[in-house]
Amino acid sequence: AILTVGDGDLSFSLALARCFRQSEQLYIVASTLPPYDELCATYARAERIIAELSVNPRCEVRHLVDATALGAVEPSLGKFDHICF
């Protein structure tokens, strides 16, 4: 499993998901600090990117994730093999 943090409009997470779309073993959690509405207001492509990630059964999008306090995120993010900053 891979956790992405600090990805702005989530375009890196989307590229990762597209690159590994054939892999049934890879799970991606794409996270943002801002809430959904703020993210979409800030980045023009964010809504479209989130929609594409959300229909992928091996991807999850989580908002309000503070990368400096990952252990405090509720519900828990779980464990990851890699964290991409």
Side-chain angles (χ1 to χ4, degrees):
I2 297 175
L3 172 66
T4 62
V5 296
D7 186 11
D9 66 358
L10 299 174
S11 56
F12 176 77
S13 299
L14 179 60
L16 203 60
R18 286 176 175 172
C19 182
F20 292 103
R21 84 179 59 194
Q22 300 302 321
S23 173
E24 294 184 16
Q25 298 175 354
L26 182 66
Y27 190 76
I28 299 170
V29 176
S31 69
T32 70
L33 180 58
Y36 175 84
D37 292 339
E38 183 180 330
L39 194 73
C40 292
T42 303
Y43 299 103
R45 300 178 338 156
E47 188 172 9
R48 181 187 60 78
I49 291 171
I50 292 167
E52 185 172 337
L53 287 169
S54 297
V55 298
N56 185 330
R58 293 181 305 279
C59 293
E60 177 183 354
V61 179
R62 296 276 302 269
H63 303 286
L64 301 172
V65 174
D66 184 347
T68 66
L70 292 176
V73 175
E74 291 293 331
S76 173
L77 291 168
K79 297 187 184 232
F80 295 93
D81 299 305
H82 304 283
I83 300 176
C84 299
F85 291 89

